[in-house]
């Protein structure tokens, strides 16, 4: 696993947090897919930005924290993190540990799959902690 893949995913997450759609798109392959926790799949270089806009619509506020990036073979990186949010309308507060397995090809992200359980994501990626 190239340390470069971890750096790419770190830059992607930073761009996601900063709402920088141009930088996000530059790191995604044209056939990229992201499967959210709701099992909705977002496709293409604009898919991850569309997902973030959907989060902005559903949540009055949200943020990602406690980022950890773990190599999972040559082409995958597991991103462990905590989501903090407050529901729009409901004012419901959440704090949840989640994970995303990112798959890369030739320096670009081609797939992301979100998991509600960090342990499940690590197992799916074949990583032992």
């Amino acid at each position: 696993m190239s340390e470069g893949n971890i750096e790419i995913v770190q830059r992607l997450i930073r761009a996601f947090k900063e709402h920088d759609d141009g930088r996000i798109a530059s790191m995604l392959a044209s056939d990229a897919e992201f499967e959210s926790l709701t099992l909705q799949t977002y496709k293409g270089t604009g898919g991850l930005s569309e997902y973030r806009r959907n989060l902005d619509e559903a949540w009055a506020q949200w943020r990602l924290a406690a980022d950890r990036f773990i190599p999972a073979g040559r082409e995958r990186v597991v991103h462990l993190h905590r989501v903090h949010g407050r529901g729009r309308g409901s004012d419901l507060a959440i704090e949840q540990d989640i994970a995303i397995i990112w798959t890369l090809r030739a320096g670009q992200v081609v797939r992301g799959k979100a998991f509600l359980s960090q342990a499940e994501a690590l197992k799916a990626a074949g990583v032992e902690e």
Side-chain angles (χ1 to χ4, degrees), residues 40 42 47-59 62:
Q40 181 173 349
Y42 297 85
L48 200 54
S49 294
E50 179 186 354
Y51 169 66
R52 192 204 60 251
R53 286 190 297 274
N54 288 349
L55 289 175
D56 289 340
E57 289 176 13
W59 298 95
W62 62 271

Side-chain angles (χ1 to χ4, degrees), residues 14-22 24 52-53 56 62:
R14 192 168 33 257
F16 184 83
K17 289 178 178 181
E18 295 171 357
H19 293 64
D20 189 332
D21 294 341
I24 293 169
R52 192 204 60 251
R53 286 190 297 274
D56 289 340
W62 62 271

